[in-house]
């Protein structure tokens, strides 16, 4: 992972220290992907699971949610997306250069 992404991730974690600590205690794992090409930057899952999360959540669902927010208010942007299913809960946080997804 490049130094630019590491610095950006450090800034995000420091701004949200309380939430980060609470979430990581409960998390099954996480995926960090690059927004430009939906490529994996870092993950705690195996490659197939991580790619599936990026493909289904980031590439389609997240982009649809971002588009809906922009359609409602052009000056607003999606900061956080929470998707809960019967088995899992996905916390998705899109940043400028990358997207972090935590699975609870």
């Amino acid at each position: 992972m490049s130094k630019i992404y590491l610095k950006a991730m450090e800034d995000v974690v420091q701004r949200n220290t309380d939430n980060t600590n609470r979430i990581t205690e409960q998390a099954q794992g996480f995926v960090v992907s690059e927004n430009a090409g939906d490529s994996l930057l870092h993950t705690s899952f195996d490659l197939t699971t991580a790619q599936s999360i990026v493909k289904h959540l980031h590439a389609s669902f997240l982009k649809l949610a971002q588009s809906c927010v922009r359609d409602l208010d052009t000056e607003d942007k999606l900061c956080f997306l929470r998707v809960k299913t019967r088995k899992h809960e996905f916390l998705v946080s899109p940043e400028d250069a990358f997207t972090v997804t935590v699975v609870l």
Side-chain angles (χ1 to χ4, degrees):
M1 189 180 316
S2 72
K3 290 181 182 181
I4 294 170
Y5 291 119
L6 285 174
K7 178 64 177 150
M9 284 185 0
E10 281 180 18
D11 291 342
V12 170
V13 169
Q14 287 177 356
R15 281 184 301 192
N16 301 294
T17 303
D18 294 337
N19 289 335
T20 303
N21 291 337
R22 182 178 49 81
I23 290 169
T24 53
E25 290 173 359
Q26 302 170 4
Q28 293 179 15
F30 66 92
V31 176
V32 179
S33 69
E34 183 180 20
N35 290 343
D38 289 325
S39 58
L40 292 174
L41 295 175
H42 193 60
T43 183
S44 63
F45 293 109
D46 61 275
L47 187 60
T48 305
T49 303
Q51 287 174 336
S52 177
I53 289 170
V54 169
K55 178 183 175 188
H56 296 293
L57 274 177
H58 297 191
S60 55
F61 194 65
L62 180 63
K63 287 184 172 66
L64 178 64
Q66 289 172 323
S67 177
C68 289
V69 170
R70 278 193 306 272
D71 287 348
L72 293 171
D73 185 355
T74 56
E75 295 179 10
D76 205 357
K77 81 176 203 179
L78 182 71
C79 296
F80 190 76
L81 177 67
R82 181 178 180 179
V83 179
K84 188 171 185 176
T85 67
R86 282 184 273 158
K87 290 184 176 182
H88 302 288
E89 186 173 0
F90 301 93
L91 308 175
V92 185
S93 179
E95 294 292 328
D96 292 332
F98 59 90
T99 299
V100 178
T101 301
V102 177
V103 181
L104 299 175

